[in-house]
């Protein structure tokens, strides 16, 4: 894709909340850099005091940069700007895509709580995570299978939802393999064959080569 703008993505140098943002930027072939603010000294300089933050620099020197905070807002902006939704004029299909992405986000948020929870609280949050993950996986497996097990949630080309699934599962494997291996069980090849098949197919797309390489060298979020 040809872009007339460049981007700065502000985030910590770890594999965590900004991974789908990174995968999107790599996939669209954007000109972009990752910038790690000094934390917490520069916290007050970020939108709503948190990361990630996306800064879009226009090719025009007279146009002010567009600054956007919140990982999901950044993802949806890039997906809309670069036409990565499936049939965006269909309100129901758009709602379904957002619903499925929200499922992935819910799993991530709960898993992050487990990692940072006190040791005594981990069994409680882990139980909630495993119950939610099983429901989410069942739903996503069905959608992927109904689309022909072709590596995509909808249609025959890569969409935002596919990219989020790729980034999400690869990040889970990297982060939880050594932190909380139990959380990977609902997402393994036995329990989520369609999801793993989709990620395997997408991983072979040259458009993701740079993203996968960057993820492999990225630090784990702990």
């Amino acid at each position: 894709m040809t872009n007339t703008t460049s981007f700065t993505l502000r985030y910590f140098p770890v594999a965590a909340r900004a991974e789908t943002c990174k995968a999107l930027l790599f996939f669209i072939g954007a000109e972009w850099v990752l910038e790690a603010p000094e934390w917490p000294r520069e916290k007050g300089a970020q939108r709503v005091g948190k990361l990630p933050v996306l800064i879009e620099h226009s090719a025009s020197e007279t146009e002010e940069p567009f600054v956007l905070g919140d990982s999901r807002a950044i993802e949806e902006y890039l997906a809309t700007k670069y036409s990565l939704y499936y049939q965006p004029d269909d309100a129901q299909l758009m709602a379904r895509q957002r619903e499925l992405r929200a499922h992935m986000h819910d799993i991530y948020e709960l898993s992050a709580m487990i990692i940072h929870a006190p040791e005594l609280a981990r069994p409680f949050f882990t139980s909630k995570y495993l119950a939610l993950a099983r429901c989410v996986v069942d739903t996503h497996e069905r959608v992927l299978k109904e689309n022909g097990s072709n590596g995509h949630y909808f249609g025959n080309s890569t969409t935002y939802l596919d990219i989020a699934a790729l980034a999400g599962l690869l990040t889970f494997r990297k982060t939880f393999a050594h932190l909380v291996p139990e959380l990977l069980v609902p997402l393994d090849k036995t329990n989520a064959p369609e999801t793993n098949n989709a990620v395997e197919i997408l991983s072979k797309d040259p458009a993701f080569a740079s993203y996968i390489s960057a993820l492999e060298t990225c630090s784990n979020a702990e």
Side-chain angles (χ1 to χ4, degrees):
M1 299 181 185
T2 302
N3 299 302
T4 58
T5 59
S6 61
F7 300 92
T8 297
L9 181 65
R10 289 180 182 162
Y11 197 63
F12 310 107
V14 298
R17 193 178 300 276
E19 285 310 302
T20 298
C21 301
K22 295 177 190 176
L24 284 162
L25 289 166
F26 276 118
F27 181 76
I28 64 177
E31 179 184 338
W32 72 284
V33 295
L34 182 65
E35 179 181 282
E38 186 176 330
W39 208 261
R41 187 176 66 82
E42 296 183 88
K43 181 176 181 178
Q46 315 308 318
R47 284 186 72 83
V48 300
K50 68 175 186 176
L51 299 177
V53 168
L54 182 74
I55 305 171
E56 182 176 13
H57 310 279
S58 172
S60 171
E61 295 182 359
T62 60
E63 188 173 336
E64 288 291 319
F66 175 61
V67 182
L68 187 64
D70 186 82
S71 59
R72 291 284 298 283
I74 293 168
E75 293 173 18
E76 292 180 9
Y77 173 67
L78 293 172
T80 300
K81 183 178 178 72
Y82 293 98
S83 303
L84 291 172
Y85 280 109
Y86 179 71
Q87 296 187 9
D89 293 332
D90 186 317
Q92 292 186 354
L93 274 174
M94 284 293 289
R96 183 67 67 212
Q97 290 169 83
R98 289 181 173 132
E99 175 198 41
L100 293 166
R101 178 64 185 104
H103 293 164
M104 301 177 196
H105 183 76
D106 289 344
I107 285 181
Y108 175 84
E109 289 296 313
L110 197 47
S111 65
M113 290 178 66
I114 294 168
I115 290 175
H116 298 291
E119 192 66 32
L120 289 175
R122 280 192 175 185
F124 171 75
F125 287 116
T126 299
S127 176
K128 289 177 67 67
Y129 165 88
L130 292 173
L132 173 65
R134 283 191 289 269
C135 291
V136 168
V137 166
D138 286 348
T139 299
H140 286 237
E141 291 288 293
R142 184 170 62 253
V143 173
L144 287 162
K145 189 172 184 178
E146 288 174 351
N147 196 49
S149 303
N150 64 354
H152 306 292
Y153 277 84
F154 299 99
N156 298 303
S157 58
T158 300
T159 65
Y160 164 40
L161 199 57
D162 301 330
I163 296 170
L166 171 80
L169 186 54
L170 293 184
T171 302
F172 263 58
R173 288 175 182 170
K174 178 179 177 63
T175 301
F176 299 127
H178 75 292
L179 286 178
V180 193
E182 183 181 2
L183 302 190
L184 280 170
V185 173
L187 304 170
D188 65 19
K189 292 182 179 180
T190 299
N191 293 300
E194 294 289 340
T195 303
N196 281 272
N197 175 63
V199 169
E200 183 176 349
I201 291 172
L202 292 168
S203 296
K204 295 175 182 177
D205 185 337
F208 290 115
S210 294
Y211 169 68
I212 293 172
S213 177
L215 177 62
E216 289 173 350
T217 61
C218 194
S219 300
N220 288 314
E222 299 192 25

